[in-house]
Amino acid sequence: MNVLFDRIALIGIGLIGSSLAHDIRRLGLTKEIVVATRSADTLKRAEELGLGDRYTTSSAEAVKHADLIIVSVPVGASESVAKEIAGNLQPGAIVTDVGSTKASVIAQMQPHMPENVHFIPGHPLAGTEKSGPDAGFPGLFEGRWCIFTPVAGTDEKALKRLRGFWEALGSKVDEMDAEHHDKVLAIVSHLPHIIAYNIVGTADDLETVTESEVIKYSASGFRDFTRLAASDPTMWRDVCLHNRDAILEMLARFSEDLAYLQRAIRWGEGDKIFELFTRTRAIRRSIVQAGQDVDAPDFGRPHALDKK
Ligand code: NAP
């Protein structure tokens, strides 16, 4: 047991909320977990999975007497949650979130936060393409980054306490301002998802290649995009709408670079193509060296002869 908070309220119990619940319980980080989600069905499932000690469909009810509140809902719902919980927050409580965009979450939540609570926006860079309370699992945050985007005047002691919480989950914590976070995430996360949604959509719309061929021959590369493109539509719609400027900026850069590659292919400029593909291969090596992926071929998928 390593009790860091007396009562933790989890607002939203999907992939991220339920993964937090598993780890908080496993590591004994609190005396009581209160789970809140808006639908009775999700709440029932969370209860069946034993994710909390108390359950409610009222966020306002859940935050009473909690010293840590973690909001894990689609970013577009941040303001309504902030409004709902504001009146019941206890003085000194830490309110944080896990949203994938930060400037928008701050704009939605901060105006509603009482003076005497510590609002510290956060974003764990960990997840999968699954959603809902069944999708969570212990250890999701182990070895992953969690980025805080503190607002001006944030209490250092509260920051340290929240940092201790994420470190207890095995995360490494970084701090940056919200606008910078949104730009970085636009390129490392948001653009790859948008490209994946787009390529899978294009394949679906093709007339000369049948859908059964796309599926049958997907291991040639296509299937690696389908994992990203299977991510939760609500979450990703909200990310697109709430990080609009940074995403549009990165999409513009991407389109320019794609035009360069298109031109090189058209004019048979093999040296340009080779130079780009060599540079990008080195990025993969750096990711493996940084411990952000394993070096197993084919993303570690098992193959028929592996078992023999
Ligand atoms: P999820 O599995 O879809 O769960 C969403 C949760 O939010 C559910 O409890 C759902 O409640 C609730 N919710 C949905 N719409 C709501 C609304 N309009 N108002 C109030 N509650 C609402 O989502 P998730 O993957 O855990 O993502 C949660 C947050 O984490 C998002 O902000 C996302 O950007 C961020 N994030 C996600 C990942 C990832 O890989 N998935 C990684 C890092 C950060 P009901 O089921 O009861 O409707």
Side-chain angles (χ1 to χ4, degrees), residues 101-111 119 121 149-151 178:
T101 72
K102 296 275 49 98
S104 160
V105 166
I106 293 172
Q108 292 180 69
M109 293 188 73
Q110 199 186 6
F119 170 54
T149 59
V151 294

Side-chain angles (χ1 to χ4, degrees), residues 12-17 37-39 42 72-75 77 80-81 98-100 123-124 126-128 130-132 232 235 239:
I13 195 75
L15 166 71
I16 300 294
T37 190
R38 66 177 175 167
S39 78
T42 304
S72 312
V73 301
V75 288
S80 60
V81 168
V98 298
S100 306
H123 178 204
T128 73
K130 301 269 169 45
S131 52
D232 189 70
M235 169 186 157
V239 169

Side-chain angles (χ1 to χ4, degrees), residues 67-296:
D67 44 358
L68 175 63
I69 295 97
I70 309 178
V71 178
S72 312
V73 301
V75 288
S78 306
E79 180 163 28
S80 60
V81 168
K83 276 187 186 162
E84 232 181 295
I85 63 176
N88 281 354
L89 294 168
Q90 80 169 12
I94 295 176
V95 178
T96 189
D97 78 303
V98 298
S100 306
T101 72
K102 296 275 49 98
S104 160
V105 166
I106 293 172
Q108 292 180 69
M109 293 188 73
Q110 199 186 6
H112 303 285
M113 291 295 111
E115 286 275 303
N116 57 7
V117 310
H118 307 290
F119 170 54
I120 306 176
H123 178 204
L125 305 192
T128 73
E129 69 281 16
K130 301 269 169 45
S131 52
D134 285 280
F137 55 91
L140 174 64
F141 308 104
E142 180 83 46
R144 298 280 166 247
W145 286 100
C146 182
I147 301 178
F148 293 168
T149 59
V151 294
T154 301
D155 181 67
E156 281 300 324
K157 266 200 227 137
L159 259 179
K160 204 170 157 215
R161 238 182 129 194
L162 189 62
R163 179 182 274 269
F165 170 80
W166 282 101
E167 286 174 350
L169 303 182
S171 291
K172 302 173 280 185
V173 177
D174 240 350
E175 276 179 38
M176 60 182 74
D177 70 62
E179 282 69 28
H180 187 66
H181 165 279
D182 288 356
K183 277 202 177 140
V184 173
L185 268 292
I187 188 66
V188 300
S189 170
H190 307 167
L191 202 62
H193 278 82
I194 289 167
I195 292 167
Y197 280 120
N198 198 55
I199 197 172
V200 175
T202 302
D204 191 40
D205 291 341
L206 285 179
E207 278 141 22
T208 47
V209 180
T210 64
E211 196 179 311
S212 66
E213 282 172 316
V214 168
I215 291 166
K216 186 170 161 190
Y217 302 125
S218 63
S220 320
F222 183 72
R223 71 175 176 187
D224 290 332
F225 286 99
T226 61
R227 186 187 72 74
L228 291 183
S231 301
D232 189 70
T234 306
M235 169 186 157
W236 283 97
R237 175 205 60 197
D238 280 13
V239 169
C240 289
L241 298 179
H242 289 267
N243 195 21
R244 194 181 61 166
D245 294 347
I247 288 175
L248 289 178
E249 189 185 322
M250 294 306 166
L251 268 174
R253 290 284 294 264
F254 174 80
S255 305
E256 273 178 34
D257 293 344
L258 189 61
Y260 170 89
L261 184 56
Q262 201 173 355
R263 204 188 184 88
I265 295 170
R266 184 185 310 284
W267 296 109
E269 296 171 329
D271 49 343
K272 284 189 181 166
I273 300 171
F274 188 82
E275 187 274 326
L276 173 67
F277 293 179
T278 307
R279 244 183 328 124
T280 56
R281 191 175 217 192
I283 300 271
R284 170 76 190 158
R285 263 186 243 125
S286 315
I287 289 171
V288 172
Q289 272 161 15
Q292 292 300 300
D293 206 351
V294 291
D295 197 21

